[in-house]
Amino acid sequence: MLHWDIISKLGGLLFVNLILSGDNAVVIAMASRRLKGSLRRRAIVWGAAGAVGLRMVFAAVVTFLLSIPLLRAAGGALLCWISWGLVREDDGGEEGVPGGDAAEDSGKGVWDAVKIIVLADAVMSLDNVIALVGIAGGNLWLLAVGLLLSIPLVIWGSTLLSALLERLPILVYAGAALLVYVAVEMFFEDEALRGLLAPLADVEWAVGLAAAAVFTTAAWGWSRLRRA
């Protein structure tokens, strides 16, 4: 019975973590899309590994973290800022320095992508970790195994998305819109803002869609203005 209980919990951890990691895979793909070949693979692997490590840290202190007022709201604002930076990369704002050392620029590009991946995952993972800890029954060793086993699948999904974004750059705006929608959800879930936003609770999805639409329109307009 204990054996099957562990297997069922592990299966549940893998399944739920993959579902909850959809937005994280979008961030990984967007952050690494400008890199090529082995550099992209390195950024995806290191970013995913760093993100999983952070989730383990959060699992140990998740109850305390989520009780901090305005923490989710600050995370939502930070996620919007990250989304804006990812969209701006397609406007030429992140070009390398002419005449610079190629190896140094490549290494910097990988490191920059890894930092974005880990930072965004840290922002989005707080609520996800609550669900994962619940499924694991508070067993951190079981949670660690479940997260580690999910890394290859997250990496595969991120690699596929990154290749798709390279072929269809317009999808970058769709990815940024998704992250803004997640950011709005974080505002609504913040303890300090819950009472203030209560009148809009029933239309939270509409507020999220409106915010994503406004953000996407502003980002597209800014891109057109810079190119002009």
Side-chain angles (χ1 to χ4, degrees):
M1 290 294 292
L2 180 62
H3 177 71
W4 285 110
D5 181 59
I6 292 176
I7 291 178
S8 63
K9 286 182 177 180
L10 188 58
L13 281 170
L14 283 171
F15 180 72
V16 172
N17 190 46
L18 286 175
I19 293 176
L20 296 178
S21 294
D23 45 9
N24 302 103
V26 171
V27 170
I28 294 173
M30 291 178 66
S32 61
R33 72 188 187 281
R34 294 171 66 88
L35 300 172
K36 304 294 182 182
S38 62
L39 294 178
R40 177 183 295 176
R41 288 192 293 273
R42 284 163 56 189
I44 290 175
V45 171
W46 292 350
V52 168
L54 270 179
R55 290 189 186 189
M56 286 303 304
V57 174
F58 289 159
V61 293
V62 68
T63 303
F64 169 73
L65 288 175
L66 291 177
S67 66
I68 300 176
L70 297 178
L71 179 63
R72 283 171 167 155
L78 181 59
L79 191 56
C80 289
W81 178 77
I82 291 172
S83 303
W84 182 260
L86 289 171
V87 170
R88 281 193 61 202
E89 285 187 4
D90 282 345
D91 300 334
E94 302 291 336
E95 297 293 334
V97 178
D101 182 78
E104 182 179 348
D105 289 344
S106 298
K108 183 177 182 298
V110 172
W111 178 237
D112 286 343
V114 171
K115 286 191 294 185
I116 292 173
I117 292 167
V118 174
L119 181 59
D121 192 271
V123 170
M124 295 186 293
S125 289
L126 287 175
D127 290 337
N128 295 359
V129 168
I130 292 179
L132 296 175
V133 170
I135 294 172
N139 188 328
L140 292 183
W141 287 107
L142 186 59
L143 176 62
V145 173
L147 290 175
L148 289 174
L149 289 178
S150 69
I151 289 180
L153 296 176
V154 173
I155 290 175
W156 178 81
S158 303
T159 303
L160 184 63
L161 280 174
S162 184
L164 186 61
L165 289 173
E166 187 178 17
R167 291 178 176 273
L168 298 172
I170 192 66
L171 293 180
V172 170
Y173 291 96
L178 173 62
L179 298 183
V180 171
Y181 187 90
V182 173
V184 171
E185 288 184 331
M186 295 179 69
F187 279 103
F188 273 88
E189 292 166 356
D190 192 280
E191 292 292 338
L193 299 180
R194 186 166 294 172
L196 181 64
L197 297 176
L200 299 174
D202 292 337
V203 291
E204 176 185 339
W205 62 272
V207 175
L209 289 177
V214 170
F215 177 90
T216 304
T217 302
W220 181 82
W222 177 260
S223 175
R224 297 276 295 182
L225 182 62
R226 283 178 58 88
R227 291 175 183 175

